[in-house]
Amino acid sequence: GAGVSQSPRYKVAKRGQDVALRCDPISGHVSLFWYQQALGQGPEFLTYFQNEAQLDKSGLPSDRFFAERPEGSVSTLKIQRTQQEDSAVYLCASSLRFSSGSENEQFFGPGTRLTVL
Amino acid sequence: AQSVTQLDSQVPVFEEAPVELRCNYSSSVSVYLFWYVQYPNQGLQLLLKYLSGSTLVKGINGFEAEFNKSQTSFHLRKPSVHISDTAEYFCAVNKLTGGGNKLTFGTGTQLKVEL
């Protein structure tokens, strides 16, 4: 595709509901990242995939957060039993390769704004 | 672990004036440095990056940044701003080695360009 897309763009959930956020990375991009951006803050790393393998999930704030990328392309971030503190913008990014060189530029999607009431 | 400090949360400036957005980082290892811009309700767009080589890096939209290793800084500058530059700007780092290239971001600087 032309860029990273995310859906839905906006999600309102009642506290305790489960939500699923989808990310479609740029076609052919090996690496995929999820970040959480709270209001007035910079994005914070949640988790990282290389193809279908989840290599780093150190940023997931609790065991209510779960991410998958079963076929190495589309990824889903799932939040179970949502809490008010989960309200944030969830950003997805992809990069061409797993590399520390110039090919590691991350391209970001527009984000999903989650509001938990 | 790496950290990024953006001391200025908001920077107001008049159109056509110069601007500098400050970024300082700390890391026990060598890092790559990035500036991203975020327009309202949009994702992050890369402005410029420093990987190696010349410490003065030029990016899109007339922005440039200078890497200063001794001062651990990577300040962003533009000689003449435009109304359309109004946005949130984020400085970020990632490690050169150790696997993975997750970004660590600062808290952002809101640039507001006024007529």
Side-chain angles (χ1 to χ4, degrees), chain B residues 84-101:
Chain B
S84 60
D85 293 323
T86 295
E88 188 90 20
Y89 292 79
F90 292 95
C91 182
V93 304
N94 70 11
K95 294 188 299 183
L96 264 65
T97 58
N101 54 351

Side-chain angles (χ1 to χ4, degrees), chain A residues 9-10 33 35 37 40-43 45 56 58 91 98-102 104-106 108-110 113, chain B residues 32 34 36 38 41-44 46 49 51 90 94-97 99-103 105-108:
Chain A
R9 290 293 313 277
Y10 302 91
F33 303 80
Y35 294 87
Q37 186 176 18
Q41 300 296 315
F45 171 79
D56 187 345
S58 62
L91 295 167
F98 172 70
S99 165
S100 291
S102 60
N104 74 352
E105 177 183 343
Q106 294 183 29
F108 283 80
R113 182 177 297 277
Chain B
Y32 292 142
F34 304 82
Y36 283 86
Q38 187 175 37
N41 298 317
Q42 295 187 27
L44 299 166
L46 182 67
K49 59 188 175 187
L51 304 181
F90 292 95
N94 70 11
K95 294 188 299 183
L96 264 65
T97 58
N101 54 351
K102 61 186 178 186
L103 292 165
F105 287 88
T107 52

Side-chain angles (χ1 to χ4, degrees), chain B:
Chain B
Q2 303 86 248
S3 68
V4 178
T5 302
Q6 293 181 249
L7 289 173
D8 305 306
S9 60
Q10 292 187 32
V11 173
V13 62
F14 288 109
E15 193 173 35
E16 297 184 6
V19 69
E20 178 179 83
L21 305 184
R22 296 181 294 169
C23 173
N24 288 87
Y25 70 94
S26 66
S27 177
S28 57
V29 298
S30 295
V31 294
Y32 292 142
L33 295 151
F34 304 82
W35 275 100
Y36 283 86
V37 60
Q38 187 175 37
Y39 298 101
N41 298 317
Q42 295 187 27
L44 299 166
Q45 180 183 5
L46 182 67
L47 275 178
L48 48 78
K49 59 188 175 187
Y50 173 76
L51 304 181
S52 64
S54 172
T55 57
L56 182 63
V57 180
K58 294 191 183 296
I60 62 172
N61 301 341
F63 284 94
E64 63 181 32
E66 186 154 19
F67 170 58
N68 187 319
K69 188 174 182 179
S70 63
Q71 297 187 6
T72 60
S73 68
F74 190 55
H75 300 331
L76 181 70
R77 295 196 262 290
K78 186 169 182 177
S80 176
V81 296
H82 189 266
I83 284 285
S84 60
D85 293 323
T86 295
E88 188 90 20
Y89 292 79
F90 292 95
C91 182
V93 304
N94 70 11
K95 294 188 299 183
L96 264 65
T97 58
N101 54 351
K102 61 186 178 186
L103 292 165
T104 300
F105 287 88
T107 52
T109 297
Q110 176 68 42
L111 176 63
K112 185 174 181 181
V113 181
E114 302 168 351
L115 293 172

Side-chain angles (χ1 to χ4, degrees), chain A residues 33-115:
Chain A
F33 303 80
W34 283 98
Y35 294 87
Q36 180 191 58
Q37 186 176 18
L39 188 64
Q41 300 296 315
E44 293 192 356
F45 171 79
L46 292 177
T47 188
Y48 158 70
F49 290 85
Q50 181 184 351
N51 294 308
E52 69 278 2
Q54 189 175 18
L55 298 185
D56 187 345
K57 53 182 180 179
S58 62
L60 296 177
S62 78
D63 59 7
R64 296 186 295 104
F65 286 70
F66 172 76
E68 61 184 4
R69 194 186 184 197
E71 297 178 357
S73 56
V74 171
S75 177
T76 304
L77 177 67
K78 297 179 180 177
I79 309 174
Q80 296 177 326
R81 304 181 303 281
T82 52
Q83 304 295 315
Q84 285 188 322
E85 60 263 29
D86 300 334
S87 295
V89 175
Y90 291 85
L91 295 167
C92 176
S94 68
S95 65
L96 183 59
R97 300 187 195 288
F98 172 70
S99 165
S100 291
S102 60
E103 294 164 324
N104 74 352
E105 177 183 343
Q106 294 183 29
F107 296 84
F108 283 80
T112 295
R113 182 177 297 277
L114 173 64
T115 302

